[in-house]
Amino acid sequence: KGLDDSTVRSLNGARVTRTLLTLVPDADHFRTTLRATKAWARARGVYSNVLGYLGGINWAILVAFVCQRYPSAVPSTLVSRFFRVYHQWQWPAPILLKSIHEEHPEGMFCQVWNPKVYPRDRAHLMPIITPAYPEMNSSYNVGEPQLRSLRTEIARGVQLTFAIEQGKAKWSDLFTGHDFFAQYQHYIQVDVSAHDAAAHRSWFGWCESRLRQLVLCLEQPPSVQAHPHAEFFEWSATRGSKERRPRSAAAVPAGGIIGTSFYVALSFAPGVRQADLTASVADWVYRINAWDRRQPG
């Protein structure tokens, strides 16, 4: 009580976690199912809130919702039901673990998620609503490309869990890593680099926060679909050299470069033989380089 809106929202993570455990019928089954779901999401390249996929709290709410629907199910059954529920879910229908507050608690006047009142909330594609006041959409980052990838991976999960139940597949098949770099023919690589760790940290943070915009820019031509990779690759190099070493494997050489790479795969509509993305990429690069704290060099 008595806190401003920003302060209340900054405390929401801990409050949501605490509330979640009171809303599931069996906390142990919930935790086991959540661990399996997050392991699957990481393996399949759809675990990254900052890149417009889903992060920890999003997956936790989705799992809790399935636990509520199947209160007596064991974790193996809950994992199977997870894929079937969300394969059939009609987004943008919201995921709600409890009803949203229609009135503000005493002494609190924060804005809550309400698509009937707020136009921005109506634009959300995959609303997963936090269960603690003030209720917010925890997945507002999700865009069309990411939702498309999530649907594809969930459909795969449905097929595999059916096969597992019939004895035609193993649980390990569900967690097979994503073949991102073998699945597509065309990729865009974004390198973010600096000459020291502090500069790289701030420069990469700025670029990372704008990567979702790049993905949207790449889909401006209607014939193009963009598929962002959910992992970053950290490297270092000697200045003037094209050889890159994984940053965890060797110390950064004196006067060297610290870098992080990000990849987006591209696919094209049938019959499309070429697409000009020059304007889309150039516009994004211009806006990135216009950052007033960018250090030249």
Side-chain angles (χ1 to χ4, degrees):
K1 295 181 180 180
L3 300 176
D4 60 60
D5 190 80
S6 297
T7 303
V8 172
R9 291 178 186 277
S10 70
L11 298 172
N12 219 27
R15 296 170 60 244
V16 166
T17 301
R18 186 172 63 248
T19 303
L20 267 177
L21 293 175
T22 69
L23 296 174
V24 294
D26 189 309
D28 289 336
H29 286 177
F30 164 73
R31 292 190 182 98
T32 302
T33 307
L34 178 58
R35 281 197 294 270
T37 303
K38 291 168 73 172
W40 163 81
R42 289 191 176 96
R44 301 305 300 171
V46 290
Y47 190 106
S48 176
N49 183 273
V50 72
L51 293 178
Y53 290 113
L54 303 180
I57 191 61
N58 311 127
W59 293 115
I61 295 172
L62 291 178
V63 169
F65 184 75
V66 174
C67 290
Q68 288 182 336
R69 292 176 70 120
Y70 301 96
S72 58
V74 297
S76 59
T77 301
L78 289 169
V79 171
S80 298
R81 295 299 181 270
F82 175 92
F83 293 110
R84 294 171 202 178
V85 166
Y86 296 116
H87 183 56
Q88 298 172 358
W89 195 258
Q90 298 299 307
W91 304 106
I95 297 296
L96 296 167
L97 297 180
K98 55 185 291 191
S99 59
I100 295 177
H101 284 84
E102 295 184 358
E103 298 182 358
H104 297 286
E106 183 180 355
M108 304 180 74
F109 302 96
C110 298
Q111 177 179 315
V112 300
W113 186 81
N114 189 337
K116 295 180 180 179
V117 176
Y118 304 112
R120 180 178 295 182
D121 292 349
R122 285 198 294 273
H124 293 162
L125 301 178
M126 193 181 187
I128 302 171
I129 311 304
T130 56
Y133 179 89
E135 291 85 351
M136 300 181 293
N137 177 20
S138 64
S139 53
Y140 66 90
N141 282 347
V142 175
E144 285 285 1
Q146 293 86 347
L147 179 56
R148 187 170 56 242
S149 295
L150 285 162
R151 281 175 165 153
T152 298
E153 290 301 330
I154 288 172
R156 173 185 175 274
V158 170
Q159 294 176 346
L160 278 172
T161 50
F162 269 124
I164 291 168
E165 291 174 358
Q166 295 168 2
K168 299 178 180 179
K170 300 176 292 184
W171 278 108
S172 59
D173 296 332
L174 183 66
F175 302 96
T176 300
H178 193 277
D179 55 348
F180 181 83
F181 292 103
Q183 188 173 356
Y184 306 97
Q185 290 185 319
H186 306 282
Y187 299 85
I188 286 181
Q189 176 178 328
V190 179
D191 291 337
V192 181
S193 61
H195 297 304
D196 63 73
H200 177 267
R201 189 161 46 249
S202 59
W203 176 227
F204 176 72
W206 165 254
C207 294
E208 181 185 37
S209 69
R210 300 298 186 273
L211 287 175
R212 293 192 310 276
Q213 296 177 6
L214 171 63
V215 175
L216 295 175
C217 287
L218 292 173
E219 290 209 340
Q220 286 180 358
S223 59
V224 178
Q225 288 190 346
H227 312 271
H229 192 43
E231 295 182 39
F232 298 113
F233 298 87
E234 298 182 335
W235 49 270
S236 63
T238 304
R239 188 177 302 186
S241 171
K242 294 184 178 180
E243 181 184 356
R244 296 179 175 182
R245 298 174 295 277
R247 213 185 311 162
S248 58
V252 178
I257 297 173
I258 299 173
T260 303
S261 296
F262 165 76
Y263 295 87
V264 182
L266 302 175
S267 58
F268 303 95
V272 174
R273 305 185 69 176
Q274 62 181 9
D276 188 357
L277 300 173
T278 304
S280 299
V281 173
D283 177 63
W284 183 79
V285 171
Y286 173 80
R287 284 183 282 155
I288 285 293
N289 287 335
W291 188 42
D292 58 3
R293 292 174 57 193
R294 180 174 181 264
Q295 299 180 17

